[in-house]
Amino acid sequence: MAALRFFCLGALLGLACLVAEARPSGQQLSECRDEYELLAALEVAIDELNDRRAVFESLYNDDAPASAALDDVLKAGSGSAQRDWPQTIDCPALDAQYASALADYKRAQSRLQRQQSSWSALSAAMRDGLLRVWQSRQRLLLSAAALQASLEQQDGVDPLVRQQLQGAIEQSRSELSVLRRELFEMMPALQREAMPSGLRELLLLWHQAYEVRPVRHLPDATLLSALPGPLAQDVRDYFRLAQLDVLVQRNALSYVRGWLWESQPALFERAGDTATDGLLLDEIRAFQTRLEWLVADTQASYRHAAGESGPPGWLKLFEYGLGLLGLVALVYLARSLKAPVVVAQGRFARWSQGRRLAGPISRATAGLPLLTPWLVGLLGLGLLHLLFTRLHLPLLATFLPLARLFILYGLISLAGEWLLQRTAQQAGSYLNDEQLAQAQRQARLVAAVAVLPLLVRDFVELGVGPSRLLDLCHWASLLGILLALGLLLRSRREDFIEALKSFLPSQGDRLIERLLDKRLFLLVAPIAAPPLLLALVLNFLHKALFDYDWYRRLFARSFKLRVAAVEAEQGELDGSSADSRALEAYQRWFLSDDHVQLPFIDSGLYVQVRKSLDPWLDDRGSDNALLLTGANGAGKSSVLQRLTRDLDAEHPQLRLVRLRIEDKLIDAGQLHQVLGEVLGADLSDGPAALVRADAELSPSLVIIDDAQNLFLRRVGGLAAWEALLALANARVENLFWLVLINNHSWAYLSNVYGRDYQFRNIKVARRWSQPDVRSLVLSRNHLSGCRIRYDNILLATRGPEAGSIRNAEQLYFSLLWDACQGNPKLALHLWLRSIRLSGNTVVVGLPEEVGSSSLEQLDSALHFVYAAVMIHENMTTDELIATTALSEGVVRRALKTGMDLGFLERSSSRRYRVATLWYPTIVRLLARKNLLHE
């Protein structure tokens, strides 16, 4: 016994020594105080990491408290900012212990980061499913806790019955917990790396979820009848929430499966047929589950369980009533907006008349009153969907596609009716009121055919999401749309065939009839519809753009390219068998310069001239000089004659002095003498004499026509023009100078003197518009008393306007306007070249322009001579020799060549000028060679 006591005492002393050696001494503690505190802080941080990891473990183990929210759990797992710990410390006694603790910290931190990244990287579908599952779990746990408390508080309940109820509750909760744990463990793994094995586990779990039925554990009616009424109702509510919980978990599994189907469709092929067998059946069951969940969730929202944090039932009922009221208000608003839109569209259409830019917009918005109710309804449904989602009204949010598809049904009906009308119009067919009503009924019928597969597709998309079933519904929707289009066009089959023939080449007419036979029509018509729609769009753009000059020019030139061969044949026939006397009588109305008997077409130039002249007529102190320039034949002379007639009637006291310079007058003294004679004053001293004589002169409008004859492009050839400038710029009150000059002459003088240093007020005769050219030609033809008939080449266009006089007239004048470049005189000459007389009828063909190929081959010296003719408008041989400094032989050869080719004309005074028909051709050639100044 003494030996045993001695042995125990020795052991205690040895243990005390070991503890003394392990624990720092007082001196060591004072030396390693900081390291010891660092080690203690590191151990605390390890405990914190382990606690935060335990939060995630509570998700996997499904043992989180019922009061915890999912956001709080995940935020607890996210942790605070991390601290940087040193790798080593300066205390040898604590070095091994610190290194072990640091390794434990890094290991725990790495595991926590992997868990955090797995949950934070979840897709939207997974997050949504996870949130719904967690909310359902919390609601179920609260209900179970309340039910357990009620069972314990009820003293009159048979212990055997209480035991059976508790066992049923525990069994149902255990089944749901197992399913939930597997779901929570599977979601992060699928997010990190989706493998075929993981997909197979998911599909197996999804299939097993349909076998979980908590209502199987619900006690029978006999047992429930033995319970007090409130307690029996609590039992039923719990099992109803348990059944709702399994529906939520099935939906969550379906969300994850849909996300994988959309993001990684190849994964299902790699999983094998064994895993995907019965997948389509499970997707159909998922649709049924979605509907059951909607009903169950809506019912559960009216029951406010004990301790539940959701809104009370009466508030949910009020929210649903508010949503239904929003739908009714949207319908009323959409219908009431149609009338004001009709009024606004009518006002805009009236305002847009005559406005080039607003006209096409008015045509494009003509159908806006019909579309407004549907478009407003579509926009309103989008806003209501946001409202229903925010208020958590899944039943209304789910069935909103019904209203959206009704709007789509209305839009498809309008589109179908429009397509039938435009098809008939393209085919040249007229629809009476009965046919229009029939087209409307047919459009509504095919709209229903097109919308029905879309309705099924929308429900599948809401109930199942991305899936094989949804892919089949997509194909069914496409087939439904094609079938609806075929049925729609079959009601106007003949018109559809004629419409296709109207814009496709005639060589394919027989093929179109064969392909669109009654037996093949439903298959071929949807394929042939896009070309028809393209033709309708191009026809609309053609009408919208035809008001623009650039498009008219492009359209005319494209037509000329298409009919180049026919144009050549037509040119050989024009004028071949016309009566010479009748032709001369007809040409008199187009070649006459007597504007008194001819109608005046105001292209806007007359108004510009009056704006410059009227201030001087009212106040003699205003500017008293105006230069009017423009191309040869631009209408300056007709404006001048109209001006003189109006001034004679409006201002009889005004003296009109018109001086037409027919030959070249380049001497300043001669100009002073000529002007002095017509004004009745001595102007030999130039501007000074004019100023002295101004007081004695009566108010006069001095018109100097053909002012291009007042200069020659040579040394000393500008004296007369300078003299005219000096007189026009003299300060006088009783004279107004109106000078008319060719545009090429004015361009040359502007380069010599400067444009703004000669006349302050300059008006330019612009090109005429196509309507003005058309009015000019048709008004003169009307005076001749002849009828107009357009040639077959203009009437033979395919389409709804084939054979239309209006279309042929529009086409011809587009060609004429492009050929004459807005020059009225040239337009009249081209008209005469494009017509032939047949009795009292004028047959109109294509405008025939002259070619420039022969001019391109001439020498540059000859081109220089022709440029001198263009700049001076008319020249004699001697004047050309003087201005060009070329030899007489070269000048005469140039003139003879021009006469032989027909682009030069010689007057009785042996003055040469460019023929009207050749005017634009010569201008383009010389401008390209930089021989003209404009």
Side-chain angles (χ1 to χ4, degrees):
M1 189 68 178
L4 180 61
R5 291 179 179 176
F6 179 79
F7 177 76
C8 290
L9 181 60
L12 291 175
L13 291 175
L15 181 62
C17 292
L18 290 175
V19 172
E21 291 179 0
R23 181 179 299 175
S25 63
Q27 182 179 1
Q28 290 175 337
L29 183 62
S30 61
E31 294 177 356
C32 301
R33 186 181 304 276
D34 294 339
E35 287 76 3
Y36 185 79
E37 293 178 355
L38 181 64
L39 177 60
L42 180 58
E43 292 175 347
V44 171
I46 293 174
D47 294 337
E48 291 180 355
L49 289 178
N50 291 329
D51 292 340
R52 287 155 55 189
R53 287 183 55 206
V55 171
F56 287 101
E57 293 299 329
S58 66
L59 290 177
Y60 296 133
N61 299 328
D62 194 35
D63 57 1
S67 59
L70 180 63
D71 292 340
D72 297 335
V73 173
L74 295 180
K75 287 179 181 178
S78 62
S80 57
Q82 304 297 329
R83 178 177 175 181
D84 294 331
W85 303 96
Q87 298 296 323
T88 59
I89 56 177
D90 295 334
C91 181
L94 299 178
D95 186 56
Q97 189 175 357
Y98 178 81
S100 176
L102 183 61
D104 293 341
Y105 175 83
K106 292 182 178 180
R107 189 180 304 110
Q109 185 184 38
S110 176
R111 293 178 179 178
L112 179 63
Q113 288 176 352
R114 287 197 299 270
Q115 290 176 330
Q116 289 176 353
S117 61
S118 298
W119 288 98
S120 61
L122 290 178
S123 63
M126 289 186 174
R127 285 181 178 274
D128 184 65
L130 176 64
L131 180 61
R132 291 182 183 276
V133 170
W134 187 266
Q135 291 174 348
S136 177
R137 172 189 182 273
Q138 303 304 86
R139 180 169 52 186
L140 183 63
L141 291 181
L142 291 173
S143 178
L147 181 57
Q148 291 284 1
S150 299
L151 284 174
E152 294 175 358
Q153 294 174 2
Q154 293 289 339
D155 296 333
V157 179
D158 187 0
L160 183 59
V161 173
R162 180 183 291 111
Q163 184 178 2
Q164 290 180 355
L165 286 176
Q166 291 176 345
I169 295 172
E170 185 62 28
Q171 287 180 355
S172 63
R173 192 169 65 177
S174 176
E175 286 183 350
L176 295 174
S177 179
V178 170
L179 183 62
R180 194 181 299 113
R181 286 198 303 268
E182 293 183 6
L183 172 63
F184 283 175
E185 290 177 359
M186 188 178 299
M187 290 174 66
L190 289 174
Q191 176 64 40
R192 285 195 300 270
E193 184 179 6
M195 301 293 293
S197 59
L199 176 61
R200 285 192 289 267
E201 293 178 1
L202 172 67
L203 296 179
L204 179 61
L205 182 63
W206 187 35
H207 185 77
Q208 293 175 352
Y210 289 101
E211 305 301 327
V212 178
R213 298 182 180 274
V215 292
R216 292 182 304 180
H217 305 290
L218 178 66
D220 54 13
T222 304
L223 182 62
L224 291 178
S225 62
L227 297 176
L231 182 59
Q233 183 61 40
D234 290 342
V235 172
R236 294 188 185 93
D237 289 344
Y238 168 78
F239 280 97
R240 187 180 292 110
L241 290 178
Q243 184 64 28
L244 177 60
D245 183 72
V246 74
L247 294 177
V248 171
Q249 294 192 54
R250 292 174 188 173
N251 287 335
L253 289 167
S254 181
Y255 291 156
V256 178
R257 188 262 329 143
W259 169 73
L260 289 174
W261 182 274
E262 186 176 22
S263 60
Q264 303 184 42
L267 189 62
F268 287 80
E269 299 179 0
R270 293 161 52 194
D273 296 336
T274 305
T276 57
D277 284 343
L279 181 60
L280 187 60
L281 180 60
D282 287 340
E283 291 173 353
I284 297 176
R285 296 168 69 181
F287 178 73
Q288 179 183 358
T289 299
R290 176 75 177 184
L291 296 181
E292 292 177 1
W293 170 79
L294 284 173
V295 176
D297 185 76
T298 304
Q299 292 176 350
S301 63
Y302 297 135
R303 296 179 174 87
H304 200 61
E308 191 175 348
S309 59
W314 66 267
L315 180 58
K316 213 62 176 176
L317 183 62
F318 174 75
E319 291 176 349
Y320 271 98
L322 183 63
L324 294 175
L325 183 62
L327 288 173
V328 175
L330 178 61
V331 173
Y332 175 78
L333 176 64
R335 290 181 176 178
S336 60
L337 282 178
K338 183 177 181 180
V341 173
V342 170
V343 176
Q345 171 62 23
R347 293 179 179 176
F348 178 72
R350 290 190 295 271
W351 175 81
S352 63
Q353 292 179 356
R355 289 178 169 84
R356 178 177 296 182
L357 182 61
I361 298 177
S362 176
R363 286 191 289 268
T365 57
L368 192 59
L370 293 176
L371 296 175
T372 296
W374 305 103
L375 297 179
V376 171
L378 195 62
L379 177 62
L381 287 180
L383 298 177
L384 286 178
H385 186 269
L386 295 177
L387 177 63
F388 295 162
T389 304
R390 185 175 183 83
L391 295 178
H392 303 288
L393 305 177
L395 191 62
L396 290 179
T398 301
F399 287 97
L400 270 183
L402 284 176
R404 190 177 294 111
L405 284 177
F406 177 73
I407 293 177
L408 183 60
Y409 164 79
L411 293 174
I412 293 177
S413 299
L414 293 177
E417 187 178 353
W418 172 85
L419 180 59
L420 289 181
Q421 294 179 5
R422 290 298 178 269
T423 300
Q425 181 181 357
Q426 185 74 18
S429 177
Y430 172 77
L431 298 181
N432 54 31
D433 294 340
E434 182 180 356
Q435 290 173 327
L436 288 175
Q438 182 181 2
Q440 187 177 17
R441 291 192 298 269
Q442 187 69 19
R444 291 177 179 176
L445 175 62
V446 299
V449 174
V451 164
L452 184 59
L454 296 175
L455 175 63
V456 176
R457 187 202 66 180
D458 282 354
F459 274 116
V460 171
E461 186 173 5
L462 287 171
V464 185
S467 58
R468 180 176 297 172
L469 183 61
L470 183 61
D471 293 344
L472 295 177
C473 290
H474 283 310
W475 284 106
S477 301
L478 179 60
L479 293 177
I481 293 175
L482 295 177
L483 177 62
L485 184 58
L487 292 174
L488 178 69
L489 295 174
R490 191 175 65 174
S491 62
R492 306 294 304 179
R493 175 177 168 273
E494 299 298 332
D495 289 343
F496 180 65
I497 294 176
E498 293 299 325
L500 289 177
K501 291 180 180 179
S502 65
F503 65 90
L504 294 177
S506 58
Q507 294 83 354
D509 290 352
R510 297 185 61 183
L511 179 61
I512 292 174
E513 293 178 355
R514 187 181 309 166
L515 291 176
L516 294 176
D517 186 71
K518 292 182 179 180
R519 294 171 297 178
L520 302 175
F521 189 85
L522 287 179
L523 297 176
V524 181
I527 302 175
L532 176 62
L533 293 176
L534 179 61
L536 296 177
V537 172
L538 293 178
N539 189 29
F540 173 79
L541 294 177
H542 170 72
K543 293 179 179 179
L545 297 175
F546 207 78
D547 293 335
Y548 296 91
D549 293 344
W550 64 269
Y551 181 76
R552 291 177 179 174
R553 189 176 298 111
L554 180 64
F555 173 72
R557 293 179 182 178
S558 63
F559 180 80
K560 285 192 294 185
L561 291 176
R562 293 196 303 268
V563 298
V566 182
E567 182 182 10
E569 297 177 2
Q570 184 70 28
E572 297 177 358
L573 298 175
D574 287 345
S576 59
S577 60
D579 184 13
S580 59
R581 292 185 179 180
L583 184 60
E584 290 178 1
Y586 183 81
Q587 291 177 344
R588 181 175 61 87
W589 296 103
F590 291 86
L591 302 179
S592 175
D593 293 332
D594 186 7
H595 297 279
V596 177
Q597 300 179 0
L598 299 176
F600 176 75
I601 308 300
D602 186 13
S603 62
L605 183 60
Y606 176 79
V607 177
Q608 295 182 19
V609 173
R610 289 301 301 261
K611 286 182 178 180
S612 300
L613 179 60
D614 289 343
W616 178 83
L617 294 175
D618 298 334
D619 181 12
R620 297 293 188 268
S622 302
D623 289 340
N624 65 331
L626 171 64
L627 182 129
L628 182 60
T629 182
N632 185 18
K636 301 186 297 295
S637 299
S638 60
V639 168
L640 187 59
Q641 294 193 18
R642 172 67 180 273
L643 178 66
T644 54
R645 291 201 307 269
D646 290 350
L647 292 179
D648 282 337
E650 298 173 9
H651 301 277
Q653 75 281 1
L654 181 67
R655 184 173 63 156
L656 300 177
V657 179
R658 180 174 181 179
L659 177 62
R660 184 171 185 178
I661 312 297
E662 297 182 355
D663 297 327
K664 297 298 180 182
L665 194 158
I666 60 175
D667 183 70
Q670 293 180 357
L671 179 64
H672 289 159
Q673 181 180 358
V674 172
L675 288 175
E677 292 177 357
V678 297
L679 291 176
D682 183 10
L683 301 180
S684 56
D685 292 340
L690 180 63
V691 172
R692 291 193 299 269
D694 178 52
E696 300 178 358
L697 295 175
S698 59
S700 305
L701 172 63
V702 181
I703 302 173
I704 300 179
D705 199 0
D706 293 335
Q708 62 270 7
N709 289 328
L710 292 177
F711 78 95
L712 283 177
R713 192 178 58 178
R714 64 178 179 84
V715 177
L718 301 174
W721 178 255
E722 293 175 351
L724 176 62
L725 293 178
L727 294 174
N729 288 290
R731 291 183 173 273
V732 294
E733 294 184 358
N734 292 322
L735 293 181
F736 188 93
W737 300 91
L738 178 58
V739 180
L740 281 70
I741 189 171
N742 181 281
N743 61 327
H744 296 291
S745 302
W746 173 244
Y748 168 75
L749 294 172
S750 296
N751 289 331
V752 174
Y753 294 101
R755 177 183 176 88
D756 299 329
Y757 294 98
Q758 301 177 77
F759 287 88
R760 292 186 298 273
N761 200 355
I762 302 170
K763 300 297 179 184
V764 180
R766 302 297 181 185
R767 295 179 178 181
W768 283 30
S769 64
Q770 180 178 327
D772 292 338
V773 172
R774 175 179 174 274
S775 299
L776 173 67
V777 173
L778 294 182
S779 62
R780 298 204 178 189
N781 179 80
H782 177 72
L783 293 177
S784 68
C786 295
R787 295 179 301 174
I788 294 178
R789 178 170 62 85
Y790 292 94
D791 195 82
N792 292 334
I793 196 172
L794 296 171
L795 294 170
T797 55
R798 293 165 61 87
E801 297 179 345
S804 171
I805 301 299
R806 181 179 178 275
N807 181 56
E809 180 180 293
Q810 188 180 61
L811 177 59
Y812 170 78
F813 281 105
S814 297
L815 295 169
L816 180 65
W817 177 78
D818 178 63
C820 72
Q821 299 181 359
N823 190 303
K825 186 176 181 180
L826 179 58
L828 295 176
H829 283 76
L830 288 174
W831 168 267
L832 294 176
R833 285 176 61 89
S834 62
I835 59 100
R836 66 179 186 272
L837 290 179
S838 178
N840 196 36
T841 302
V842 177
V843 181
V844 183
L846 297 177
E848 182 182 356
E849 299 182 70
V850 294
S852 60
S853 58
S854 57
L855 295 175
E856 298 284 351
Q857 303 174 0
L858 299 179
D859 297 338
S860 299
L862 275 62
H863 291 158
F864 191 68
V865 174
Y866 304 143
V869 176
M870 289 294 300
I871 292 174
H872 297 86
E873 191 179 271
N874 60 88
M875 298 283 281
T876 63
T877 304
D878 295 337
E879 291 169 350
L880 284 171
I881 295 173
T883 54
T884 60
L886 295 175
S887 63
E888 181 178 355
V890 174
V891 172
R892 291 189 178 277
R893 181 165 64 90
L895 295 176
K896 185 179 185 304
T897 302
M899 293 288 292
D900 294 339
L901 294 177
F903 63 86
L904 286 184
E905 297 177 342
R906 187 175 62 180
S907 65
S908 57
S909 58
R910 305 185 67 83
R911 308 192 69 84
Y912 295 89
R913 67 176 66 242
V914 176
T916 304
L917 285 172
W918 287 82
Y919 198 83
T921 304
I922 299 296
V923 169
R924 285 195 297 267
L925 173 65
L926 299 179
R928 191 168 64 250
K929 295 181 175 297
N930 294 323
L931 295 176
L932 294 179
H933 298 272
E934 186 181 48

